[in-house]
Amino acid sequence: MIAALRYAWRDEEVGADVVLWTATDDTARVIRGAQDIEELAHKVSVAVWNLEPDDEESPDTKS
């Protein structure tokens, strides 16, 4: 038997779907940790980096 706990939500600010989950064969461990996992889920933040340079030509397109 496997116990799993899953949180999923949409972060509208960055347009991302987020899933946090844990699974173990120790059901009691998931139950004991549920409050901590919930607190973690509420503190998770999503950061999105734009790796493309703005308004700059890439070295491949320069003449």
Side-chain angles (χ1 to χ4, degrees):
M1 176 185 284
I2 297 219
L5 183 60
R6 180 179 183 263
Y7 283 85
W9 64 95
R10 174 125 182 111
D11 186 329
E12 293 295 341
E13 186 176 328
V14 296
D17 296 319
V18 181
V19 178
L20 176 111
W21 65 275
T22 187
T24 181
D25 60 355
D26 185 351
T27 305
R29 188 174 194 179
V30 171
I31 293 169
R32 286 191 312 269
Q35 184 64 39
D36 292 333
I37 295 167
E38 182 174 354
E39 288 176 22
L40 173 64
H42 286 280
K43 293 178 180 181
V44 167
S45 63
V46 177
V48 177
W49 290 277
N50 180 1
L51 300 178
E52 297 296 323
D54 292 333
D55 297 341
E56 292 182 20
E57 292 183 38
S58 73
D60 296 334
T61 62
K62 289 185 179 179
S63 325

